[in-house]
Amino acid sequence: MGDSADGALFRNLRARFPRLHGDVIRFELERCNGHAGHAAHALRALDSGHTVPVRSPAPPRPPLSTAEPVGGEVTLRSPSTAEAPLLSTFAEPRALAEWAELRAAETQVALLDAQLELRLLASKQSAEATDLRKEAAAAMAAEEEARTEMASLRDALEQALASPFVGSEGTQGRPAARNGGGWARIHALQTLRDAAARLDVGALRTAIDEGEAAGVEAGALDGAHAIMAAKAAENLELYQAAALAGQGTWDPLLERAIEEGRAAGLPREDLLKAARVLVTAAARTSNLELLEAAIHHGKAIGLMRSELEAVIGRSCEALEYSVLQWKAAKYTSCDSVWRALEGGDTVLIRGSWLMACWRSARLLPRRQELPPEAVWDVGELMAAPPGMDGIAVPILAISHCWETSDHPDPQGGQLQILGRILEQRLASRDHEAVRDLAVFFDWCSLPQPPWASKEEEAAFHRALRHSDLWFARSRSSVWWLTSTPDGVLPASRRGWPCFEQALSRGVAAGRGVLDLGALDGSCTDFSRTSEVCGRTRGPPMLPEVFARALRTKSCARRADAPLLEAKYRQAFEDAVVPAAELGLHGLGWGAEQARGLAAVLHRCTALQSLRLQQNMLGDAGAWELSGAVSWCSNLRELDLSANGIGNAGARCLAAAVPTCGCLSSLLLRKNRIEDPGAEALAAAVPWCVRLGSLDLRSNRFGEEGLRRLEAAWGETRPAAGQGARGGEAGEGPPPGRGLWV
């Protein structure tokens, strides 16, 4: 038969069996030596899913080889004993159907592979035919076993169609999603059942989100919604009654119940009633943080402004001003440490006790199992001698990875590193002498699940409210334990370490940040360890930038990512936005860091002093900052001394400083400003109406630049004086008001 006839046969068979791949049709034609009837018989069997007998070659064409063809039918194994319980667990029909389809596709591919292998084997020399036929028969037997297993899966599917968990919609529910496949729906369904059995509102909310993404039937999701709403309503009523019984005392479980009720879609009237109780309880505590949180919930639900003011006893504007002042001192004052520790929800661990654990090769116990000698007494910790900032010993926060969900350091590797560096720190004579350290290590400092009571769970949620304080506090040191064993997700890809590092490097300037993952053999004392592992502070990260970075990280729980995003935004708004002073001197910053800082300055409307001396900003950094300082409407002092700024940077600053209506002190000493830059600054002086001090000592301009500056200053500020001319600039601000050149 010619090539044109072969093509016509192929097209006819392709039209009759559109669901089969063209390679399958072509193979069957070749196997049957172009006999259309035999090929159609085999293709019909494949298309219907039945067993395909392997026929002997038809006589019109000679055989492909001298090997005898292998006949017989393919048989498949039945499900093994180990797989039988697995089939019974599939109560979700669509997931089971998709698994059956997947196995059917795998079966068809296995059949094609076996038949192709058979043809190749048959073309070899007759001396090898016997062994090759055995291998081909084994492949076809395996294919038959797969067919038998698929048949049993079909039977299980028919039984699962009557499952009561499918709901009233049966198989006519929402269409199955393809992202994640059947296994994702099976997992989502099991998660829904577990959460419903535990009556955990938060877990149900997470499971419903997972189920919607995986395409679980609407009946199952509606049932879970109903369970969640009923439990949320029960919790709301329970904790509201408990708060009223306690004469309006603050209860974090009521706050959590309100959040759960909003997520469950409870009636607005019930939520408003609970919000009034929450605001009343917060007002009685006189705690601005709790009051702000309660008002936030009240506004979100819909409490009227007049009702809020009636409950709190003052105007919302006065409260907002008080909250702003409190936020400005949150990360610098020891009062915030006292508030975080006074209730006992959070404890700080003695560094000396951690060293003892390291020396005795013990694993760290969780918070509920700590011995009393491991914990700092709040009274002892806050009874500081003069000059200690209100705290007896320095505070150290540890950022680390959890190696397992049950214990962060099951092998003791992190404790070995921590104990050795603690020993170096306490023995160091080159740093501030300390007798001990107060260490925040979440496994030991916060209550850990499983909870023995509702009070333990409430204590954990109260402690979580202050978890950012230890890493963002300006007088705390932070050590990163970034090393992880093989097979454990590294810190660079985790959500919580990303959050803690962003706080410690960007939000507030701490006493020192060490990345102990950089330790090497030379780190035999704390001075060398600080040199090798020290990390300088970077510009604060905008909340939107942090949120984008967080999306690339992994979190152990689905709820962690939004929690971390919200907590970082809150820390940024508490520490950076209301800051009156930013001291960022001597950090080695260049133009890139200046660009990051410029993006932040747009929100720092309360900033009064910005000190960036002794960096490496250059003209590019001055240009980046010049476009941002005008947003700081309260800026009074700008120090850019010793930054390598030349004429181009001076021109940019000369154009920007007249827009800073409150600027009274501009320090540009020890730069590279020449006559053109001095002339640009002189032209800006008359427009800076409140500028009382301009320090340009130790620059490179000559007599012409001096003359222009003195003339401009003398004409507009005759009473301010000329300051001093000539001489070297010392450290610190100029000794008085005037022009210092």
Side-chain angles (χ1 to χ4, degrees):
M1 187 179 292
D3 294 339
S4 59
D6 285 339
L9 285 177
F10 174 81
R11 288 191 296 273
N12 291 336
L13 290 174
R14 185 66 186 271
R16 290 179 59 187
F17 305 101
R19 293 191 299 173
L20 297 182
H21 195 276
D23 291 341
V24 178
I25 297 173
R26 189 175 291 107
F27 167 74
E28 290 296 338
L29 272 173
E30 291 178 2
R31 188 175 65 82
C32 297
N33 296 328
H35 194 288
H38 291 174
H41 174 74
L43 292 172
R44 189 179 302 107
L46 287 174
D47 190 50
S48 61
H50 294 99
T51 305
V52 184
V54 180
R55 300 178 179 273
S56 300
R61 292 188 177 181
L64 295 175
S65 71
T66 58
E68 296 181 2
V70 179
E73 294 188 357
V74 185
T75 58
L76 281 184
R77 64 178 178 86
S78 58
S80 64
T81 306
E83 293 168 338
L86 181 63
L87 298 177
S88 63
T89 63
F90 289 94
E92 211 282 319
R94 293 189 180 277
L96 184 56
E98 183 160 337
W99 191 34
E101 292 172 3
L102 178 62
R103 292 307 302 266
E106 292 174 350
T107 299
Q108 187 170 348
V109 172
L111 176 61
L112 291 175
D113 289 342
Q115 291 174 340
L116 288 171
E117 183 181 5
L118 178 62
R119 184 175 177 224
L120 292 174
L121 295 178
S123 66
K124 294 184 179 297
Q125 298 299 325
S126 58
E128 302 173 341
T130 303
D131 294 336
L132 295 178
R133 280 198 299 270
K134 290 180 180 179
E135 295 179 11
M140 297 186 70
E143 199 278 324
E144 183 60 31
E145 289 181 2
R147 285 185 179 278
T148 305
E149 184 175 0
M150 191 177 72
S152 65
L153 285 174
R154 286 199 183 99
D155 294 338
L157 175 60
E158 295 296 332
Q159 296 175 5
L161 289 175
S163 172
F165 198 76
V166 174
S168 59
E169 294 184 15
T171 60
Q172 304 299 319
R174 65 187 66 191
R178 293 292 176 182
N179 53 336
W183 291 111
R185 286 194 290 279
I186 293 168
H187 180 269
L189 192 60
Q190 188 61 41
T191 305
L192 276 172
R193 286 174 169 168
D194 293 343
R198 291 186 284 116
L199 295 178
D200 188 326
V201 176
L204 273 169
R205 176 70 265 175
T206 302
I208 289 172
D209 292 340
E210 182 179 343
E212 289 176 346
V216 172
E217 273 70 14
L221 295 176
D222 292 344
H225 270 293
I227 295 173
M228 181 177 67
K231 185 59 180 176
E234 179 185 345
N235 289 344
L236 193 67
E237 183 177 355
L238 173 65
Y239 298 128
Q240 182 178 338
L244 291 173
Q247 298 181 350
T249 56
W250 174 266
D251 188 350
L253 293 178
L254 177 58
E255 180 186 10
R256 185 181 177 189
I258 292 175
E259 293 176 351
E260 293 174 346
R262 291 177 60 195
L266 294 186
R268 182 171 176 269
E269 293 74 14
D270 296 343
L271 295 173
L272 283 173
K273 183 179 177 182
R276 293 187 186 98
V277 175
L278 188 70
V279 174
T280 303
R284 292 183 179 181
T285 64
S286 299
N287 187 316
L288 289 175
E289 182 180 13
L290 300 181
L291 190 55
E292 184 191 25
I295 290 177
H296 169 76
H297 288 297
K299 287 181 177 179
I301 295 169
L303 274 179
M304 301 297 293
R305 185 185 185 92
S306 57
E307 190 172 3
L308 285 171
E309 292 179 346
V311 172
I312 62 179
R314 49 180 159 169
S315 68
C316 289
E317 288 82 0
L319 176 64
E320 289 170 358
Y321 179 78
S322 300
V323 169
L324 186 65
Q325 297 298 314
W326 169 78
K327 286 180 177 180
K330 178 179 178 180
Y331 297 104
T332 58
S333 169
C334 62
D335 293 339
S336 56
V337 177
W338 172 263
R339 284 194 297 270
L341 298 176
E342 63 178 341
D345 301 326
T346 304
V347 297
L348 297 181
I349 312 302
R350 295 181 182 271
S352 55
W353 180 82
L354 290 172
M355 288 170 53
C357 285
W358 161 59
R359 292 191 181 112
S360 59
R362 288 179 287 167
L363 290 182
L364 289 176
R366 66 175 185 150
R367 158 68 187 282
Q368 292 93 320
E369 298 159 2
L370 283 177
E373 63 270 16
V375 179
W376 276 98
D377 178 77
V378 180
E380 180 185 3
L381 189 63
M382 305 303 291
M388 289 296 292
D389 299 325
I391 300 177
V393 296
I395 292 178
L396 170 65
I398 306 298
S399 173
H400 65 99
C401 297
W402 281 56
E403 296 179 11
T404 69
S405 59
D406 297 326
H407 197 289
D409 189 23
Q411 305 301 322
Q414 298 184 50
L415 181 59
Q416 291 181 14
I417 297 174
L418 180 59
R420 181 159 59 93
I421 306 306
L422 281 172
E423 185 178 51
Q424 291 182 6
R425 177 65 185 92
L426 295 180
S428 175
R429 298 182 179 275
D430 298 330
H431 292 71
E432 176 188 2
V434 294
R435 59 185 178 89
D436 209 338
L437 293 169
V439 182
F440 175 83
F441 192 94
D442 59 358
W443 171 249
C444 301
S445 296
L446 308 180
Q448 300 295 331
W451 321 115
S453 63
K454 282 287 186 182
E455 176 54 33
E456 280 191 3
E457 183 179 5
F460 170 77
H461 290 287
R462 288 194 299 265
L464 204 61
R465 187 186 295 275
H466 303 284
S467 59
D468 59 310
L469 172 66
W470 314 110
F471 297 93
R473 187 172 178 272
S474 61
R475 294 186 175 90
S476 295
S477 298
V478 181
W479 294 356
W480 305 343
L481 292 172
T482 54
S483 299
T484 55
D486 294 339
V488 176
L489 192 69
S492 59
R493 295 173 56 190
R494 291 174 178 251
W496 276 98
C498 173
F499 167 74
E500 293 159 356
Q501 292 172 18
L503 290 178
S504 57
R505 287 196 64 189
V507 171
R511 291 182 172 180
V513 175
L514 299 183
D515 180 3
L516 299 184
L519 286 170
D520 57 28
S522 66
C523 299
T524 57
D525 57 69
F526 194 70
S527 295
R528 178 58 181 168
T529 298
S530 300
E531 181 181 348
V532 172
C533 303
R535 297 294 179 265
T536 59
R537 181 185 181 187
M541 191 182 299
L542 287 172
E544 306 87 66
V545 178
F546 174 77
R548 287 196 298 269
L550 188 63
R551 294 188 190 105
T552 65
K553 312 299 179 184
S554 174
C555 294
R557 299 181 305 167
R558 185 189 294 267
D560 283 352
L563 171 66
L564 295 177
E565 184 176 341
K567 288 192 70 64
Y568 182 84
R569 182 178 296 277
Q570 188 65 50
F572 181 88
E573 293 175 354
D574 290 351
V576 179
V577 173
E581 176 181 333
L582 287 179
L584 305 169
H585 49 278
L587 297 175
W589 283 12
E592 182 180 355
Q593 288 78 13
R595 186 181 305 112
L597 178 63
V600 173
L601 290 178
H602 286 76
R603 306 191 185 182
C604 297
T605 56
L607 186 64
Q608 298 182 15
S609 176
L610 177 59
R611 297 196 300 274
L612 287 162
Q613 67 269 28
Q614 298 177 8
N615 282 292
M616 298 180 290
L617 302 181
D619 289 340
W623 180 82
E624 296 284 356
L625 292 173
S626 64
V629 292
S630 59
W631 290 88
C632 304
S633 55
N634 292 305
L635 187 64
R636 289 168 170 75
E637 178 187 9
L638 177 60
D639 192 347
L640 296 174
S641 303
N643 267 290
I645 298 174
N647 293 328
R651 290 192 185 98
C652 294
L653 293 172
V657 291
T659 63
C660 301
C662 295
L663 189 66
S664 60
S665 177
L666 177 60
L667 287 72
L668 293 170
R669 60 182 180 273
K670 293 185 178 180
N671 280 297
R672 301 172 182 174
I673 303 174
E674 299 175 343
D675 285 342
E679 293 173 6
L681 290 169
V685 164
W687 301 97
C688 302
V689 294
R690 296 191 179 181
L691 186 64
S693 178
L694 176 60
D695 189 355
L696 291 166
R697 290 174 291 174
S698 299
N699 275 283
R700 298 179 179 179
F701 48 81
E703 287 298 326
E704 181 62 22
L706 282 172
R707 186 182 64 78
R708 293 286 187 93
L709 284 167
E710 291 176 346
W713 192 269
E715 290 175 1
T716 56
R717 294 162 178 79
Q722 296 294 331
R725 178 172 177 173
E728 291 295 326
E731 299 298 330
R737 293 171 59 85
L739 173 65
W740 299 85
V741 293

